[in-house]
Amino acid sequence: MSQVRIITVDGPSGSGKGTISQRVAEHLGWHFLDSGAIYRVLGVMVDREDISIDSVDKIAELARNMPLSFSGEQAMLAGEDVTGEIRTETAGNRASKVAVIPEVRSALLEWQQKYAKPPGLVADGRDMGTVVFPQAQVKIFLTASPEERAKRRYKQLKEKGLGVNLARLIEEIRERDERDSKRTVAPLQAAEGALTLDSTQLSIDEVYGQVMRKVHETFADLSGN
Ligand code: C5P
C-alpha cells in the first residue's frame, strides 16, 4: 500500500504557518491538522480545573482523555465551542508550558498521527516533520524575525478588537520561542531535509508560491498551481 501523502509546516508562532498550511490544505482538498490547537485546549483545561503546572501525572491523564474534536476551524471540548478561548496570548503561553511535558507529548502522539488519511494531510506545528510525521514527503520550516511576528500578531489581535501592547507582545514571543526551542523533548527545529523559508520580507502569496512549487516538484502528478 502506498504511503499517505503528508506535508508538514513547522515554525514559531506568527511565522504565517497556520495561514499557509490551511491554504495549502484547502487548495489540495487534503486534511488539515492544527496541532497547536490541541496544546492550547489542554492548557485551557488545566487552567479551568486549576491544576498546578507541576502536576505532570494529572496533566498527562487529561491529555489522554481529552474530549476534543474539531469541526472545520472550530475546536469543540465536550460539545462546547472553545475556539475563541484558545486563541488568546494567555492560552498560547499556557499551551507552551504544558507542551514541555514529555508524558503529554507522548499521550498526544497517536491522536495526531490518526490525521494521516488519504488523499493527504497538511500538518501545522512545531514537531510535525521531526517527531509526529518523520515520513512526510514535504517538510517546510517557516520562520520570521521576532519583531515581525509580534507585529503580525499585534495586527491580528487589534483587528479582533483586543487591547495589546506591542513591546509586551515581543517579550512574550521571545519567551515562548525560548521555551519551545530549548525543551528537551521535540524542541522547535527544522527537520532534516526541510525547506526553510524566512517570511520576514515575504508576503503570504510569495510564501505560498514557494511552498506550492515544492509540493508540485515532490508530487508531480498533482495538477493545477
Ligand atoms: O502553534 P500555536 O501557537 O497554536 O501553538 C501553541 C503552543 O503549543 C506552542 O507555543 C508550542 O509550545 C505548543 N506546540 C507544540 N507542538 C506542536 C504545536 C504546538 O509544542 N506541534
Side-chain angles (χ1 to χ4, degrees), residues 191-221:
E192 217 185 303
L195 168 67
T196 296
L197 296 172
D198 183 337
S199 73
T200 309
Q201 312 278 357
L202 300 176
S203 68
I204 287 287
D205 284 347
E206 286 168 323
V207 175
Y208 178 73
Q210 294 202 32
V211 171
M212 287 311 290
R213 194 172 326 136
K214 176 80 186 162
V215 169
H216 284 291
E217 266 168 32
T218 310
F219 305 118
D221 60 315

Side-chain angles (χ1 to χ4, degrees), residues 47-66:
D47 188 54
R48 282 187 182 181
E49 301 198 13
D50 211 11
I51 297 173
S52 152
I53 205 74
D54 303 318
S55 304
V56 170
D57 292 344
K58 274 194 196 163
I59 300 176
E61 181 64 23
L62 267 188
R64 278 189 285 273
N65 300 302
M66 258 199 307

Side-chain angles (χ1 to χ4, degrees), residues 9-14 17-18 33-40 86-87 91-100 105 112 124-128 132 153 176-177 179-181 183 185-188:
V9 186
D10 289 306
S13 62
K17 67 189 164 55
L33 170 64
D34 172 3
S35 61
I38 308 171
Y39 290 94
R40 285 170 181 265
I86 64 168
R87 288 295 149 210
N93 285 323
R94 215 179 281 129
S96 90
K97 288 183 185 156
V98 297
V100 300
R105 305 201 72 88
Q112 296 174 84
D124 157 0
R126 302 288 186 293
D127 62 343
M128 298 293 99
V132 183
R153 218 32 214 136
R176 183 133 71 99
D177 283 358
R179 197 160 42 232
D180 288 350
S181 315
R183 67 182 178 220
V185 181
L188 170 65

